[in-house]
């Protein structure tokens, strides 16, 4: 079953992988306050991997709003004061290419 692909029309491909200990990473990505009215959010992650990670803030159209490369286990403040009200996505890229994703509501 690992790595099976199924075409879902001209734009989407579904990738099905068997979940095993080898491809499962214990990770935590916290975004608070969420929803936010404060003009900022604190982002903290705890990952098993060491090193630097790409943190990106993306709108629902897939446009990158902010990006930075930050060390593991460090709290960071993202300025969202200039963003329009709405839903955004916080993405953390792992060294193996997988993303950890959290929804962010700006009010």
């Amino acid at each position: 079953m690992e790595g099976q692909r199924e075409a879902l029309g001209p734009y989407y491909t579904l990738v099905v992988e068997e979940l095993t200990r080898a491809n499962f990473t214990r990770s935590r990505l916290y975004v608070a306050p969420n929803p936010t009215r404060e003009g900022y959010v604190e982002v903290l992650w705890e990952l098993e991997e060491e090193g630097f990670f790409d943190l990106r803030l993306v709108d629902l159209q897939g446009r990158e709003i902010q990006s930075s490369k930050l060390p593991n286990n460090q709290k960071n403040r993202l300025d969202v004061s200039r963003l329009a009200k709405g839903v955004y996505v916080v993405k953390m890229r792992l060294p193996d290419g997988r993303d950890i994703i959290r929804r962010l509501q700006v009010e």
Side-chain angles (χ1 to χ4, degrees):
M1 173 160 36
E2 188 171 323
Q4 288 183 335
R5 293 181 182 270
E6 179 179 334
L8 297 175
Y11 302 107
Y12 303 99
T13 301
L14 175 66
V15 178
V16 179
E17 286 191 35
E18 184 177 321
L19 183 61
T20 65
R21 284 193 183 272
N23 66 8
F24 181 78
T25 300
R26 183 178 155 196
S27 57
R28 296 184 187 119
L29 175 62
Y30 303 101
V31 179
N34 193 7
T36 185
R37 295 178 193 90
E38 308 298 322
Y40 69 89
V41 292
E42 299 285 347
V43 179
L44 172 67
W45 56 91
E46 299 170 4
L47 303 171
E48 291 178 342
E49 294 92 350
E50 293 298 322
F52 285 77
F53 300 88
D54 292 320
L55 180 69
R56 296 181 290 148
L57 181 63
V58 180
D59 68 14
L60 291 183
Q61 286 74 40
R63 294 180 296 231
E64 189 172 282
I65 308 298
Q66 294 180 32
S67 99
S68 39
K69 195 169 203 74
L70 302 165
N72 191 13
N73 296 323
Q74 180 177 332
K75 184 166 44 172
N76 295 276
R77 181 176 280 205
L78 293 181
D79 180 4
V80 296
S81 62
R82 295 181 184 161
L83 297 180
K85 292 180 181 181
V87 176
Y88 296 85
V89 176
V90 177
K91 288 185 172 186
M92 171 68 64
R93 172 70 41 107
L94 298 175
D96 64 7
R98 290 179 293 149
D99 288 331
I100 301 171
I101 299 171
R102 295 293 179 266
R103 176 183 175 275
L104 170 63
Q105 176 75 38
V106 177
E107 297 182 342

